[in-house]
């Protein structure tokens, strides 16, 4: 029995633009009687809801026009204006009566009825009544379009095709719209209806409709176009509140776990009623509304009506409510020992079988409580099971219940035989039969109950064939002429084997055959009129031979597969020396010494033997030696260790004697030399090894550019390219073993040539030379008298040449009119014959230069140079 509070707010469909204050509506009609001339008089009514606190227009000012359409053509027959027929009333929910409600909840609606009468001719197809509106409330949660979504309330009047006798008044939904729904909490909403004709009603969720784009209260369109709303996944018309909410098909009760409140206004829900009269569906009626889910909470206990445990004696209990206000739990389990618990979730072990009433009481702040109970059935030892016998669709399959109930007795069966194309493949007797109409694979199910309230379901997959199963152990085999062969078949039925020659048990499932020649035996299986035929080929040999092959040689540690040639079906092996060998036709062995293998091959009682010797040879040895480094341009002799009679080194392009164990290598770049060896008199497998000869880069010895000097003035040399330096001759150098010795001329020679040898970290070396010209005239700055800046790399730049000068203070070039065209203080720089990117004309140009020698003495030179183009 359920107790607690169910909280829901209904905000029904809003009309567009100026009418978004409307919260829902229902269009219905009443048959008032005949009007003469095969016509009928009807009262058409529209019920609209408006939120009490809405700032929008009042219901008293709402214009309503209903379009009436033929069901045969969907074309407009006529229009009917409805007028307000009574004062607008109000309905509201007294939330103060709900204890411990958390959340700002206000539920109040104004309700208005608009009505008028009309005479309609009776016709075969009937009519559809439609009231179009422009726009629903914006930002509806379960729609994919946020704004300007229209509404269309409809109901249907049946024609004489489905209602040849009598007339119909539509159902009318109960006005029970002041119920609250809290997000993610259980709720129950009565959306039932009453029918004045006493017709049976069934309820479903269904698509709500949008308008065809007409403005609010615009004239109804000429053709009725029912356009479903654009629902947003995972919601759709048949599931507008998600999978956690359902509607009872018989009562119209909407219940389940409410969806999230979200940030939008609510969820569009449309309920369709089908009217049934004498088992025939005669019409459809609907109500369209907006369910606003609130962020609210309250104390409640929710348990299922029944809790059945028929597997063991442990029952799982937990509160199905999602309330966050609960502060304590108190369970009573209704058994003799008075079991209790204060845990939120309990697995309780009942000491005895029986029926119990378990109760949960929950407590919250301010003394709020909630309570619920469940009927507990504890009868362990209930095991559902069934068997199936049958093989082909020509005959019925027998389904036999094998359910075991330790307590009570099995008292109901609901079979579903799994035929996907029919709805009549069911039965409620204990051991039914069912004849399948065709070949298929089906899943049969049995829902079975006991007198103690146990219920369970079991499934089995079965194959329905066009003939009985006939599973032979083999279809082709081999025997010796002196053997007898059993053929064992496990399927049930009547057997007939042919030919009836050299066979025992020709009418059984397990005959013995002993043919002297190759024979094909045919078997026919009959099972209640279904037949199947198959065959077995028995090949017969008069004797058996085995050939293990020639003796062979392998490399030590290798595996080898023995491959006897024979029709035998079994093999036994042994060896000398003894080893463990699998009793298969092609065993894998690994002899480490010379070994002789023996095989015994059997085909039934026929037998043969053979043997072979496997000689084991060691692998050849190939050790290429350690990796090494050589200088660029040098050679090295490779020193390998080889035990083999065939040697080959690659690559051969930089080797002398590549087929010897110790070739000479002279690579110009780092090279990996691959050594391959084969022992042609023993193990024939190739063994390889590699040695890497790294070629050190060429030493970039650099003694510096040729230069000049004057007697008595020191000149520092600057070499580069390695880690150790040797200058020769040593004459005039401060230290011949450093990269930057100081040269001082004694004036006895006009020039000196020095040779420099530079060593790197690998001991490799490179040589370079430098020539020092000695000017005995003293420090000077010399400038060429002409230059040719034509880009040929010769005399393209006018620059000063300095002898005994330690610092260039400036070098300037002027035009004939004294304009400064170029200036530098950098040694080695010069003028290229341009000024600000422009080529200067041929002619004479003035230069001046000033520098200082090693003693600080100033040297000044001035003159002219000719630019030649």
């Amino acid at each position: 029995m359920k107790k607690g509070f169910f909280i829901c707010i209904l905000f029904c469909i809003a009309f567009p633009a100026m009418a978004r204050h409307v919260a829902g509506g229902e269009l219905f009609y009443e048959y008032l009687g005949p009007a003469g001339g095969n016509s009928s008089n009807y009262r058409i009514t529209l019920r609209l809801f408006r939120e009490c606190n809405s700032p929008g227009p009042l219901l008293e000012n709402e214009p309503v026009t209903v379009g009436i359409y033929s069901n045969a053509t969907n074309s407009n027959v006529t229009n009917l204006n409805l007028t307000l027929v009574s004062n607008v009333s109000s309905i509201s929910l007294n939330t103060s009566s709900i204890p411990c409600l958390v959340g700002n909840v206000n539920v109040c609606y104004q309700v208005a009825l608009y009505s008028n009468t009309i005479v309609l001719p009776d016709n075969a197809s009937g009519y559809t009544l439609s009231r179009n509106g422009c726009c629903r409330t914006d930002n509806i949660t379960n729609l994919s379009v946020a704004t300007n979504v229209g509404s269309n309330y409809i109901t249907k009047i049946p024609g004489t095709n489905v209602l040849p006798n009598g007339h119909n008044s539509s159902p009318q939904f109960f006005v029970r719209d002041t119920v609250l729904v809290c997000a993610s909490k259980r709720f129950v909403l009565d959306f039932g209806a009453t029918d004045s004709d006493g017709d049976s009603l069934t309820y479903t969720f269904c698509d709500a409709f949008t308008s065809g784009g007409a403005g609010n209260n615009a004239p109804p369109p000429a053709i009725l176009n029912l356009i479903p709303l654009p629902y947003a996944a995972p919601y759709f018309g048949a599931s507008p509140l998600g999978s956690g909410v359902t509607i009872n098909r018989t009562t119209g009760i909407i219940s389940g776990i409410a969806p999230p409140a979200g940030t939008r206004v609510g969820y569009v829900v449309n309920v369709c009623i089908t009217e049934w009269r004498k088992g025939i569906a005669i019409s459809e009626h609907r109500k369209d509304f907006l369910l606003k889910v609130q962020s609210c909470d309250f104390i409640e206990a929710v348990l299922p009506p029944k809790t059945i445990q028929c597997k063991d004696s442990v029952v799982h209990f937990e509160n199905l409510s999602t309330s966050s206000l609960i502060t304590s739990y108190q369970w009573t389990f209704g058994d003799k020992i008075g079991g209790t618990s204060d845990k939120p979730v309990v697995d309780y072990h009942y000491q005895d079988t029986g029926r119990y009433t378990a109760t949960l009481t929950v407590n919250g702040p301010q003394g709020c409580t909630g309570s619920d109970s469940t009927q507990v059935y504890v009868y362990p030892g209930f095991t559902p099971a069934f068997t199936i016998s049958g093989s082909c669709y020509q005959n019925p399959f027998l389904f036999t219940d094998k359910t075991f109930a330790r307590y009570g007795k099995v008292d109901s069966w609901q079979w579903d035989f799994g035929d996907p194309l029919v709805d009549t493949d069911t039965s409620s007797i204990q051991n039914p039969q069912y004849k399948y109409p065709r070949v298929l694979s089906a899943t049969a199910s049995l829902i079975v109950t006991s007198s103690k309230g146990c219920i369970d379901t079991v499934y089995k997959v079965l194959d329905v064939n066009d003939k009985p199963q006939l599973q032979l152990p083999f279809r082709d085999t081999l025997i010796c002429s002196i053997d007898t062969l059993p053929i064992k078949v496990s399927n049930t039925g009547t057997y007939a084997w042919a030919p009836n020659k050299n066979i025992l048990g020709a009418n059984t499932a397990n005959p013995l055959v002993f043919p002297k020649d190759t024979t094909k035996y045919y078997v026919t299986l009959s099972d209640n009129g279904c037949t199947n035929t198959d065959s077995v080929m028995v090949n017969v040999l008069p004797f058996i031979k085995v050939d293990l092959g020639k003796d062979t040689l392998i490399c030590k540690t290798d595996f080898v597969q023995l491959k006897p040639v024979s029709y035998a079906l079994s093999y036994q092996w042994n060896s000398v020396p003894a080893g463990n060998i699998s009793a298969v036709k092609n065993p894998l062995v690994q002899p480490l010494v010379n070994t002789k293998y023996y095989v015994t091959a059997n085909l039934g009682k026929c037998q043969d033997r053979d043997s072979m010797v496997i000689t084991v040879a060691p692998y050849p040895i190939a050790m290429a030696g350690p990796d090494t480094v050589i200088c660029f341009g040098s050679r090295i002799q490779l020193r390998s260790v080889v035990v083999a009679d065939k040697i080959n080194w690659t690559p051969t392009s930089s080797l002398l004697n590549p087929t010897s164990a110790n070739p000479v290598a002279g690579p110009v770049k780092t090279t990996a030399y691959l050594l391959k060896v084969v022992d042609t008199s023993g193990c024939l497998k190739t063994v390889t090894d590699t040695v890497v000869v790294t070629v050190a880069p060429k030493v970039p010895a650099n003694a510096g550019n040729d230069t000049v000097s004057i007697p008595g003035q020191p000149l520092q040399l600057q070499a580069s390219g390695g880690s150790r330096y040797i200058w020769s001759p040593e004459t005039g150098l401060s230290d011949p073993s450093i990269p930057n010795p100081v040269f001082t001329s004694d004036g006895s020679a006009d020039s000196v040539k020095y040779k420099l040898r530079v060593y790197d970290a690998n001991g490799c070396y490179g040589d370079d030379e430098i020539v020092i010209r000695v000017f005995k005239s003293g420090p000077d700055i010399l400038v060429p008298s002409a230059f040719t800046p034509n880009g040929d790399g010769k005399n393209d730049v006018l620059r000063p040449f300095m002898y005994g000068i330690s610092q260039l203070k400036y070098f300037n070039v002027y035009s004939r009119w004294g304009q400064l065209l170029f200036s530098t203080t950098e040694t080695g720089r010069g003028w290229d014959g341009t000024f600000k990117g422009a080529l200067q004309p041929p002619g004479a140009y003035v230069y001046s230069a000033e520098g200082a020698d090693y003693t600080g003495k100033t040297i000044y030179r001035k003159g002219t140079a000719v630019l030649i183009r």
Side-chain angles (χ1 to χ4, degrees), residues 530-589:
C530 301
T531 61
N532 194 4
T533 300
D534 209 340
S535 63
V536 174
M537 176 65 77
V538 181
N539 299 279
V540 180
L541 294 179
F543 57 86
I544 192 71
K545 292 291 293 181
V546 62
D547 182 4
L548 198 51
K550 297 180 180 180
D551 295 344
T552 188
L553 180 145
I554 67 169
C555 299
K556 190 173 184 179
T557 71
D558 282 0
F559 286 88
V560 63
Q561 192 167 41
L562 303 179
K563 297 180 179 180
V565 178
S566 177
Y567 289 113
L569 298 181
S570 68
Y571 298 85
Q572 295 295 325
W573 298 86
N574 55 68
S575 64
V576 178
N580 185 17
I581 309 172
S582 300
V584 296
K585 184 175 182 178
N586 302 117
L588 195 65
V589 296

Side-chain angles (χ1 to χ4, degrees), residues 768-787:
D768 196 16
E769 294 179 343
I770 185 174
V771 176
I772 303 174
R773 296 178 60 192
V774 179
F775 282 83
K776 299 178 180 180
S777 60
D780 202 353
I781 300 175
L782 302 178
V783 178
S785 59
F787 71 111

Side-chain angles (χ1 to χ4, degrees), residues 136 149-152 207-213 224-230:
R136 298 173 182 267
V149 180
S151 63
N152 190 359
D207 282 331
F209 298 129
T210 181
S211 63
L224 179 63
N225 186 16
L226 298 179
I227 306 171
L229 289 181

Side-chain angles (χ1 to χ4, degrees), residues 1-42:
M1 180 180 299
K2 297 294 177 188
K3 300 182 181 69
F5 305 102
F6 301 98
I7 303 184
C8 106
I9 300 180
L10 295 182
F11 280 82
C12 308
I13 295 302
F15 287 118
M18 68 183 215
R20 287 185 178 142
H21 57 290
V22 175
E26 174 194 6
L27 186 62
F28 57 90
Y29 61 90
E30 300 170 77
Y31 171 68
L32 300 179
N38 293 324
S39 296
S40 299
N41 192 16
Y42 292 93

Side-chain angles (χ1 to χ4, degrees), residues 489-669:
V489 185
S490 60
N491 306 94
T492 59
T494 302
Y495 287 85
W497 294 84
N500 193 2
K501 180 183 178 181
N502 296 324
I503 185 172
L504 298 177
N507 295 318
T508 69
N510 303 308
L512 300 174
V513 298
F514 42 93
K516 302 307 176 185
D517 299 301
T518 296
T519 303
K520 191 172 189 177
Y521 287 94
Y522 294 89
V523 58
T524 299
L525 171 63
S526 299
D527 185 11
N528 295 321
C530 301
T531 61
N532 194 4
T533 300
D534 209 340
S535 63
V536 174
M537 176 65 77
V538 181
N539 299 279
V540 180
L541 294 179
F543 57 86
I544 192 71
K545 292 291 293 181
V546 62
D547 182 4
L548 198 51
K550 297 180 180 180
D551 295 344
T552 188
L553 180 145
I554 67 169
C555 299
K556 190 173 184 179
T557 71
D558 282 0
F559 286 88
V560 63
Q561 192 167 41
L562 303 179
K563 297 180 179 180
V565 178
S566 177
Y567 289 113
L569 298 181
S570 68
Y571 298 85
Q572 295 295 325
W573 298 86
N574 55 68
S575 64
V576 178
N580 185 17
I581 309 172
S582 300
V584 296
K585 184 175 182 178
N586 302 117
L588 195 65
V589 296
Q590 187 190 31
L592 300 178
V593 297
N594 297 342
T595 303
K596 188 170 186 178
Y597 289 92
Y598 300 88
V599 61
T600 300
N602 282 81
L603 178 61
K605 297 176 182 178
C606 296
Q607 188 179 88
D608 194 26
R609 295 181 175 84
D610 198 11
S611 64
M612 71 177 298
V613 174
I614 296 180
T615 301
V616 178
Y619 269 90
I621 297 174
M623 292 187 292
D627 295 343
T628 188
V629 179
I630 66 172
C631 299
F632 182 84
S634 62
R635 296 180 178 182
I636 188 172
Q637 188 169 38
L638 304 181
R639 300 188 179 278
S640 66
V641 177
V642 173
V643 179
D645 56 14
K646 186 176 181 180
I647 301 172
N648 186 38
W649 291 85
T650 56
T652 60
S653 59
S654 56
L655 288 175
L656 296 176
N657 301 321
T659 59
S660 67
N662 303 310
V664 175
V668 296
K669 62 180 180 179

Side-chain angles (χ1 to χ4, degrees), residues 115-229:
S115 188
N116 203 350
T117 60
I118 190 172
V119 174
L120 294 175
D122 298 336
N123 66 9
S125 63
Y127 300 95
T128 296
L129 312 182
S130 168
R131 199 276 186 166
N132 266 303
C134 163
C135 305
R136 298 173 182 267
T137 299
D138 289 342
N139 299 314
I140 297 174
T141 303
N142 59 349
L143 297 187
S144 62
V145 177
T147 60
N148 299 319
V149 180
S151 63
N152 190 359
Y153 303 128
I154 70 166
T155 190
K156 294 186 177 182
I157 299 176
T160 57
N161 282 343
V162 295
L163 192 62
N165 300 308
H167 293 79
N168 186 58
S169 294
S170 70
Q172 295 183 34
F173 283 93
F174 299 134
V175 183
R176 298 173 179 171
D177 301 303
T178 55
V179 200
L180 258 32
V181 173
C182 290
S184 302
K185 294 188 68 65
R186 288 186 174 270
F187 74 97
V188 174
L189 170 61
D190 186 356
F191 221 69
T194 182
D195 188 89
S196 60
D197 300 321
D199 295 328
S200 297
L201 307 179
T202 57
Y203 303 82
T204 59
F205 289 131
C206 56
D207 282 331
F209 298 129
T210 181
S211 63
N216 188 47
N217 303 313
I223 299 296
L224 179 63
N225 186 16
L226 298 179
I227 306 171
L229 289 181

Side-chain angles (χ1 to χ4, degrees), residues 351-365:
Q351 301 298 314
D352 199 358
T353 60
R355 297 186 181 184
Y356 306 93
T357 300
T359 302
L360 169 63
T361 300
V362 294
N363 300 294

Side-chain angles (χ1 to χ4, degrees), residues 612-835:
M612 71 177 298
V613 174
I614 296 180
T615 301
V616 178
Y619 269 90
I621 297 174
M623 292 187 292
D627 295 343
T628 188
V629 179
I630 66 172
C631 299
F632 182 84
S634 62
R635 296 180 178 182
I636 188 172
Q637 188 169 38
L638 304 181
R639 300 188 179 278
S640 66
V641 177
V642 173
V643 179
D645 56 14
K646 186 176 181 180
I647 301 172
N648 186 38
W649 291 85
T650 56
T652 60
S653 59
S654 56
L655 288 175
L656 296 176
N657 301 321
T659 59
S660 67
N662 303 310
V664 175
V668 296
K669 62 180 180 179
T670 298
T671 303
Y673 290 98
L674 178 65
L675 170 64
K676 294 182 179 180
V677 302
V678 176
D679 189 356
T680 57
S681 61
C683 177
L684 296 178
K685 289 189 176 180
T686 300
V687 177
T688 64
D689 195 17
T690 301
V691 61
V692 177
V693 178
T694 300
V695 178
K698 187 176 181 180
V699 177
N702 184 8
N705 296 327
D706 293 345
T707 186
V708 297
S709 180
I710 62 174
Q713 281 198 350
L715 173 66
Q716 188 168 42
L717 305 181
Q718 186 63 57
S720 62
S723 58
R724 187 162 66 92
Y725 301 83
I726 298 176
W727 296 85
S728 63
E730 300 180 2
T731 305
L733 297 179
S734 61
D735 188 341
S737 61
I738 62 175
N740 54 350
V742 174
F743 167 74
T744 304
S745 172
D746 60 4
S748 61
D750 293 335
S751 65
V752 180
K753 178 187 286 187
Y754 287 102
K755 182 178 180 180
L756 172 67
R757 176 160 290 185
V758 179
Y759 292 87
D760 64 9
N762 296 312
C764 300
Y765 64 85
D767 293 330
D768 196 16
E769 294 179 343
I770 185 174
V771 176
I772 303 174
R773 296 178 60 192
V774 179
F775 282 83
K776 299 178 180 180
S777 60
D780 202 353
I781 300 175
L782 302 178
V783 178
S785 59
F787 71 111
T788 56
N790 56 9
D792 64 355
K794 299 178 181 179
N795 302 316
D796 287 333
V797 177
L798 181 67
R799 63 168 61 90
F801 292 89
M802 298 179 293
Y803 304 100
I805 302 299
S806 63
Q807 178 189 7
L808 176 64
K809 295 183 178 180
Y810 63 83
F811 172 64
N812 297 336
V813 179
Y814 303 88
S815 70
R816 286 174 289 178
W817 297 277
Q819 183 181 11
L820 179 64
L821 302 178
F822 175 77
S823 180
T824 184
T825 59
E826 295 182 32
T827 301
R829 282 194 64 199
W831 182 48
D832 62 359
T834 64
F835 179 63

